[in-house]
Every structure is written in structure tokens, then in C-alpha cells.
Amino acid sequence: MTDNLHIRAQKFFAQSLVEGLTQADQSWLDQHLRECADCARETASTHELLHALRNVPVFLPRDLAARTQLRVRLRAQETAQTSPGNFLLWVITGFSWFVGVLSAPLVWRGFAWVGSYLHVPKLAVEMGFVLWWAVPALFAVAAVLHQKGLNIGTSRGRN
Amino acid sequence: MTDDTQALAQGLSHRDPDLLDHLIELYQHRLYRYLLFLTGNPALAEDLFQETWIRVLERGHQYNAKSKFESWLFAIARNLVIDVSRRKKMPSLEDLGDQDSNQPYDPPDEHSVSALQLLVARENQQAVQLSLLKIPAYYREVLLLRFHEEMGLEEIAAMMSTPVSTVKSRLYRGLAALKSALPEGAV
């Protein structure tokens, strides 16, 4: 028997484990394994190796499932509690943006009128207008971050 | 899509607590074993186990029931392991089979074999266990998924977001690496 046949047999055997063989290749391999003791020993050893791999003992930590179930339930409750608050925050933010966009031209005219009446420089008027836009948004971001921080803090405390 | 997976997807999207309790119970061994094989660290595997289920709770609505639940679950766990390994260096499999733990999983059937066979089997398992320490985690992962979880190549590839050819090549190399890592005479 040539070395090529043994190499082919080993290749087919690995292939049978990983992706399967065609009927013809499987028959050839079975025939070869019946005739070649070395290759049969090699394949038997790989089968034993896989059997041992399947039986590697893994020790499950005590109460892991129960502890996880508790943690998941607590998180679910926490999320359920914060969800209405988040929804309200989104509604308020959306409404404030809507009103802000609608009233922007009016406010701009108001700023311009006040600026010209009080002789305030144009740059200061523009900055005032930008602040009028930015400050509520900054407050909203601060509120969201504060809420998130509280949530993270609570969940860490429970862990 | 079967009725079962559809019901599962619906339950997950509604964050059904009883369903989650049941799933945690059902998949505890398989998920923990997968995480332990990947990380090699029981404490880290335990943390990631809990974190995986928190993600399942929070992202349950993303499960579309087109894939098997376990593939989706393992993919979540896998992503968490990747996140952690980016943050800190992953330990090896040195703690696998921690003797301090006292709840054995998947023990060999002691009544069906003789004491000598059992001893040999245990030695083989230990040899395999030690060899696992020596091979890279990406080989351990595919070997576990293919030969322990008995997942199909496409399923593994989808779970890992990798081409099937990569999964195949890792399996061939992983098998070869495991065999060559075994001490002489073992198995």
C-alpha cells in the first residue's frame, strides 16, 4: 500500500468528521480501514479523543441559574419602572423641539428688536439666540444622562 | 418558522419572566460550558453567563425566530466574550474543572464501565482537558460547537459571522492541534 493511500484515508477521515463524505468516498474509506491496521488505529484514536472531548467535566457554579433568574427579574422590573419616565421625557423633548422650531422666526425677530432697542452688538444678539436654542437641549441631555447614571448605579448596586 | 420558535420570539419580545426563567434553566449547562471553553476562567464565565441573559432580556425583540434560539444565544455570549477580551487579556483554560466547585456536570456513567476503564477514561479526559489549555480559543470554540453541541457548519458560521470555509479550516486545524497537543500515549 502506498503512502498516498494512507494520506488520502486520513484526509477523508478528517473530512468525514468535519463536513461529511460522498457515498463513494465513504465506501473507499471503510474499505481502506478494514485493510489497514495503522489507519484504523489512527481513526479509532481520534474517535476516542472526540469522546473524551465530549466528556470533559465542567462544574456548574452553585445556584447559577437561580442567581441569574433573580438578576434578570430585577432588571426587568427596573426597566419596566424607568420606561414610562423615558417615554415622558421623549414626549416632552419632542414637543419642545416642535414648539422651538415653530417659534424660532418670532423669537429671532424679538431678539433683533430688543437688540436694536437696547443697542446691543449683533454678535451678542446672535449668541443670545443660540443660547435660547441650546440651553433647553443641554438641560434635556443632562436629565437623560442623570437618569442613565441612576440606572447604571442601581444595577451595579444589585450585582 | 415553527409555532414553538414563533411563541419563543413573542415571549422574548414581551420579556416574559417565566419564559426567561425556563430558558435559563434549560440552557444553563450548555451556555456556561461554552463560555468556560472560550474564556477558560470560571469566574469570568459566570459573570458573562449572567450578562448574556440580561442581554437576552433587553434585546429579546431582536430575535426573529429565523435561526435557532441557541445560535442566537451563543452569538450574544460570543460578542460579550469579544468585548471583554478587547478590554483585558483573556486568561487561559487553567481553571477548567475547578476542584472547589462541587456540582459536577456531565459525569461519565460509572455503572456501565469497569473501574479500570473508568480510570483510563478519567485520565483521557484529563489529558484532553490539559491539551485544550494549549490550543487557541478559536479552535476550542469550533471544536465545542461542532463535536459537543453538534451544530452544523452553516449554523456555526452564521453564529460567528464567519464564512463556512473559515469554520471548516478552523475545525481541521483545531483537530490537528488537539491531537498534537495530547501527550504521547494518551487516548
Side-chain angles (χ1 to χ4, degrees):
Chain A
M1 221 177 273
T2 66
D3 281 351
N4 281 346
L5 285 179
H6 302 301
I7 292 167
R8 188 181 181 207
Q10 292 308 319
K11 191 183 153 214
F12 275 1
F13 176 63
Q15 205 176 327
S16 74
L17 292 174
V18 172
E19 50 191 311
L21 286 178
T22 62
Q23 189 88 42
D25 290 342
Q26 187 64 56
S27 304
W28 182 90
L29 178 64
D30 292 343
Q31 180 66 30
H32 179 84
L33 293 179
R34 275 193 291 272
E35 291 165 2
C36 175
D38 286 345
C39 285
R41 206 176 302 117
E42 181 71 21
T43 55
S45 129
T46 306
H47 276 304
E48 278 183 50
L49 170 69
L50 291 178
H51 178 75
L53 176 71
R54 288 187 186 105
N55 289 295
V56 166
V58 171
F59 301 95
L60 201 65
R62 189 183 286 275
D63 300 332
L64 179 62
R67 282 185 281 120
T68 308
Q69 286 165 341
L70 179 68
R71 201 179 146 193
V72 168
R73 276 184 182 262
L74 286 173
R75 176 60 68 91
Q77 280 174 11
E78 209 174 275
T79 318
Q81 280 164 6
T82 55
S83 291
N86 285 344
F87 179 71
L88 195 65
L89 194 64
W90 278 109
V91 169
I92 292 168
T93 308
F95 182 72
S96 75
W97 271 95
F98 181 71
V99 172
V101 169
L102 278 186
S103 61
L106 200 67
V107 175
W108 173 247
R109 273 188 215 162
F111 267 84
W113 181 82
V114 171
S116 67
Y117 185 77
L118 296 175
H119 304 291
V120 179
K122 199 182 170 192
L123 184 67
V125 173
E126 285 170 355
M127 280 180 68
F129 183 74
V130 168
L131 275 177
W132 176 81
W133 261 94
V135 167
L138 290 176
F139 272 114
V141 168
V144 170
L145 289 178
H146 177 67
Q147 183 66 37
K148 273 199 161 188
L150 282 181
N151 290 346
I152 291 167
T154 316
S155 64
R156 277 189 185 151
R158 278 171 180 169
N159 293 346
Chain B
M1 199 191 302
T2 66
D3 287 349
D4 281 353
T5 49
Q6 212 163 12
L8 183 64
Q10 229 165 17
L12 286 172
S13 71
H14 292 127
R15 299 181 169 187
D16 179 352
D18 293 332
L19 174 70
L20 282 161
D21 277 0
H22 172 68
L23 291 173
I24 292 168
E25 198 81 47
L26 193 64
Y27 288 100
Q28 56 177 326
H29 293 113
R30 292 169 68 185
L31 180 62
Y32 181 72
R33 180 174 49 211
Y34 175 66
L35 287 165
L36 191 57
F37 263 57
L38 273 190
T39 63
N41 178 332
L44 182 60
E46 193 177 330
D47 281 351
L48 292 174
F49 179 91
Q50 297 198 358
E51 208 50 52
T52 302
W53 287 108
I54 295 287
R55 291 253 174 126
V56 170
L57 169 80
E58 289 171 348
R59 298 182 185 181
H61 60 278
Q62 292 175 1
Y63 175 61
N64 56 15
K66 283 179 186 162
S67 59
K68 282 185 184 170
F69 173 73
E70 52 262 45
S71 304
W72 185 71
L73 178 71
F74 283 8
I76 291 177
R78 186 172 200 272
N79 288 334
L80 282 170
V81 172
I82 291 170
D83 287 349
V84 170
S85 66
R86 278 184 191 144
R87 285 203 299 269
K88 56 184 176 183
K89 199 184 163 202
M90 289 286 271
S92 71
L93 270 177
E94 61 196 349
D95 294 317
L96 188 65
D98 183 5
Q99 294 304 309
D100 293 332
S101 304
N102 44 13
Q103 284 199 330
Y105 170 67
D106 217 355
D109 184 359
E110 299 192 12
H111 303 292
S112 65
V113 289
S114 72
L116 181 63
Q117 280 174 312
L118 189 66
L119 188 66
V120 172
R122 276 186 183 155
E123 280 177 0
N124 284 346
Q125 282 168 8
Q126 199 173 24
V128 171
Q129 193 174 318
L130 289 169
S131 307
L132 278 169
L133 300 175
K134 299 175 193 165
I135 68 171
Y138 46 85
Y139 290 156
R140 289 199 299 265
E141 181 184 26
V142 288
L143 290 172
L144 173 80
L145 294 175
R146 183 74 175 130
F147 298 114
H148 213 309
E149 292 297 330
E150 296 182 345
M151 285 168 78
L153 295 174
E154 283 82 9
E155 210 179 336
I156 298 173
M159 199 206 95
M160 292 167 55
S161 307
T162 341
V164 174
S165 56
T166 307
V167 175
K168 280 185 199 170
S169 104
R170 282 186 188 172
L171 277 166
Y172 285 123
R173 288 179 187 172
L175 273 173
L178 186 60
K179 281 170 83 172
S180 60
L182 275 172
E184 197 70 31
V187 184

